[in-house]
Amino acid sequence: DYLDLLVANNMNAVFFQIRGMADAFYESQYESWTKNITGTAGKNPGYDVLGFLVEEAHKRGLQFHAWMNPYRISTRASMNSSFAELDTKIPVAWTKDYNKIRIYNPAMPEVQTRIMDIVKEIITKYDVDGIHMDDYFYPSLEEGESMNDNAEYEKYGKDKFKSIEEFRRNNVDVVIQNIQKVIIDTKPGVIFSVSPAANIDNNYSKLFADVRKWLKEGWVDVIIPQLYFATGTGKNSFNQFLDQWMQYVNQTHCLIGYGIYKFGSTDPDYGNAFHSSADLKSQFEYASKKSKVNGSVLYSIKDMVANKVGIGTAIKEIYKKKTVIPYLGRTEAKLPSTPVKVRTDGGNLSWEAVSGAYYAVYKSNGEGKLATLVGTARETSFKLPGKGTYCVTALDKANAESRISELVTY
C-alpha cells in the first residue's frame, strides 16, 4: 500500500530502513532479524523481507535505497531501565553504553570493518539502488555525560592526532570513505547517500561528522541535509540552513530532506508555521531557486497517510508531474545506448533491451516542446495510456539517461 501511494504521488524512489538498531530486515551473517517484523528479535519471518521489498519497488518503477544506521544498537528511557538483550552475533567488547543509548564503539577497527562487511553483504545479496546513512554518528549525550573514550584514544589515536576530537572525526571519516570504496569495488552502480543533521557546525563538533570534508573529498555520492525547519529569516530556519549547505556542496549531488512529520504536530517547539501545509510549498519554492539542488526526500510516508493539516494534499500538488531520478553517479555521466526497434502493438510500446538499463517512456507534445514522462519500466515493454506519439530512453543504475529513441505514433 505504501509503495502504491508513492506511485500515485509520482514519486520515484523509496528509502527503507533495513538496519535501524544493529538488526536486519534480511538474513544476515552479522546481525539477527529485527523485531520490527515478527515482534521478536532474532525470529525468522519465513520469507525474504528485503528481497520482497526490492522486487515490489522495482515492479512499480521505484528505486530502492537501503537505509542503515552505522552505530546504534539499542536505546533505553534512562539509566534505571535496561537495554534490550545484546544480539549474540555482536561481541560485547565492541559495544559502549551511555545513559540512553548503546552503540558499536566507533573507535574500534573491528567495528569499522564490521560496518564495511554489512554494506558489502547487502549490495552483494540484493539489487538495491543505493546505500543510505542517516544522521546518527557519535551519540548526542545527556547533559553532564562524557564520551568516555580516553582509553581508545590512548590505544589507537594519541600518536596520530592532535586532539581526541580530531580522533573521533577520523573514526567516522574512515567509515564513510570505506563505505564508498566497498561500493566502488563491489557494485559501483550503487549510490551512496548520507542525510546529516541541518546544523553543519553541530555535525562537526557534537556528532564528529566532518561533512564539509566528505563533500570536499567526494566521499559521498549524494548529500541529503535534513532541513526540518520552517522558512524564515531566523538562524534556525529552512532558508538559512539551505543557504549554508549550498556553500559546501561542491560537485556532490544534493537532495533536500523535508520533515513532513512536523506538520500538524502539537509539539510547541515546531512553531506556528507547521500548523498548516502552506509552508511546505514555501520550502520547495525556495529550494527550487538553488541550481545545486537536484531533488527532494520526504520524512516520512506515514505522515503522508495521516495527512494532518492537508500535508498529503500539498505533496500531491508539489509532485503533480512524473519525473525520472536525476543522475547521481560519482563520475561524469556515460550515457547508455539509445533503445532501438521501438514499435507499438495493440497499445503496448516495446523495444530492444539495453544491457543493465531501465527505461523511461515519454509522450511528445510537439516539436520544440518539453515531452511528458508517462512512466518507467524495468522490462522492454510498456502499456501506453492513450493515443499519441512516444519515445523511449534508457537509464543506468545511477540514472544517466540516453538520448531519445525514434518517435513512434499509436
Side-chain angles (χ1 to χ4, degrees):
D1 288 347
Y2 278 155
L3 296 178
D4 288 344
L5 178 65
L6 294 180
V7 172
N9 281 272
N10 293 326
M11 296 187 184
N12 47 31
V14 58
F15 289 70
F16 190 97
Q17 191 171 63
I18 67 164
R19 181 184 176 269
M21 294 273 192
D23 51 10
F25 271 74
Y26 63 100
E27 186 72 53
S28 171
Q29 72 179 90
Y30 302 108
E31 294 165 340
S32 295
W33 283 98
T34 176
K35 68 178 181 180
N36 293 308
I37 305 169
T38 64
T40 303
K43 184 176 180 180
N44 190 324
Y47 72 105
D48 185 356
V49 179
L50 182 52
F52 168 79
L53 289 165
V54 173
E55 181 182 355
E56 290 296 317
H58 287 171
K59 192 186 296 182
R60 290 164 174 78
L62 297 166
Q63 278 203 349
F64 187 95
H65 293 249
W67 166 16
M68 55 188 286
N69 186 291
Y71 305 116
R72 185 176 58 190
I73 295 174
S74 58
T75 58
R76 61 184 177 183
S78 68
M79 290 186 68
N80 297 323
S81 308
S82 299
F83 288 115
E85 186 177 353
L86 185 66
D87 186 345
T88 56
K89 293 183 179 181
I90 302 174
V92 177
W94 294 6
T95 68
K96 188 171 284 288
D97 290 356
Y98 293 100
N99 288 356
K100 290 187 176 182
I101 190 168
R102 169 179 286 163
I103 63 170
Y104 274 110
N105 188 340
M108 296 184 68
E110 297 90 341
V111 166
Q112 295 164 7
T113 299
R114 169 64 64 99
I115 297 171
M116 304 309 112
D117 289 341
I118 289 171
V119 170
K120 186 172 182 178
E121 178 183 56
I122 294 166
I123 65 177
T124 301
K125 290 178 68 172
Y126 296 98
D127 186 26
V128 299
D129 299 289
I131 290 290
H132 177 70
M133 290 277 181
D134 58 20
D135 60 325
Y136 291 94
F137 295 102
Y138 269 82
S140 295
L141 301 180
E142 298 291 290
E143 189 173 343
E145 192 177 11
S146 70
M147 203 61 74
N148 185 26
D149 58 353
N150 289 327
E152 288 87 343
Y153 181 52
E154 290 287 335
K155 183 175 182 180
Y156 299 115
K158 196 168 185 180
D159 296 335
K160 300 177 183 177
F161 303 98
K162 296 176 182 178
S163 68
I164 197 167
E165 292 80 11
E166 188 178 319
F167 167 66
R168 292 169 187 157
R169 281 187 282 271
N170 182 73
N171 292 331
V172 181
D173 287 350
V174 167
V175 170
I176 295 297
Q177 187 177 11
N178 283 322
I179 286 176
Q180 189 189 57
K181 187 176 186 302
V182 164
I183 290 172
I184 291 171
D185 291 346
T186 308
K187 196 181 284 186
V190 173
I191 297 161
F192 177 39
S193 64
V194 177
S195 56
N199 191 308
I200 297 174
D201 293 330
N202 284 352
N203 283 312
Y204 182 83
S205 61
K206 295 182 179 180
L207 305 179
F208 303 100
D210 191 352
V211 183
R212 279 175 286 222
K213 182 177 182 179
W214 307 346
L215 295 171
K216 182 180 179 181
E217 298 294 339
W219 291 342
V220 178
D221 303 329
V222 181
I223 198 76
I224 313 172
Q226 297 181 19
L227 305 190
Y228 299 170
F229 298 85
T231 53
T233 57
K235 182 179 178 182
N236 292 334
S237 70
F238 178 91
N239 310 43
Q240 297 300 317
F241 280 130
L242 179 55
D243 288 345
Q244 289 172 21
W245 279 96
M246 292 301 95
Q247 299 175 51
Y248 303 109
V249 168
N250 298 315
Q251 300 304 309
T252 305
H253 305 288
C254 180
L255 310 178
I256 299 302
Y258 295 86
I260 63 171
Y261 70 94
K262 287 191 172 182
F263 286 87
S265 171
T266 56
D267 190 328
D269 289 341
Y270 296 165
N272 294 330
F274 291 105
H275 293 170
S276 79
S277 61
D279 199 60
L280 184 67
K281 296 177 182 177
S282 298
Q283 293 173 28
F284 269 81
E285 286 169 4
Y286 192 81
S288 70
K289 299 182 175 97
K290 306 295 182 181
S291 61
K292 292 182 179 180
V293 173
N294 301 125
S296 52
V297 181
L298 307 180
Y299 180 77
S300 72
I301 194 169
K302 68 180 181 181
D303 302 289
M304 284 179 63
V305 176
N307 195 26
K308 292 180 180 177
V309 298
I311 195 65
T313 306
I315 290 167
K316 199 169 191 68
E317 173 63 21
I318 290 168
Y319 286 82
K320 60 186 175 184
K321 291 183 179 179
K322 293 181 185 292
T323 61
V324 294
I325 297 176
Y327 173 68
L328 300 175
R330 63 187 66 86
T331 58
E332 187 174 347
K334 183 180 179 181
L335 303 188
S337 300
T338 302
V340 296
K341 296 186 179 178
V342 182
R343 55 204 180 272
T344 59
D345 179 19
N348 286 316
L349 192 70
S350 57
W351 54 90
E352 285 199 348
V354 174
S355 179
Y358 73 102
Y359 309 94
V361 177
Y362 294 90
K363 183 178 182 181
S364 172
N365 290 313
E367 187 174 350
K369 294 183 180 179
L370 192 67
T372 299
L373 177 69
V374 293
T376 59
R378 294 264 164 183
E379 307 300 327
T380 56
S381 64
F382 185 87
K383 185 172 179 57
L384 296 173
K387 306 290 185 182
T389 300
Y390 296 90
C391 63
V392 185
T393 62
L395 297 96
D396 66 16
K397 204 169 186 66
N399 308 301
E401 188 170 17
S402 74
R403 300 187 183 282
I404 64 169
S405 71
E406 59 187 304
L407 296 172
V408 175
T409 300
Y410 165 59

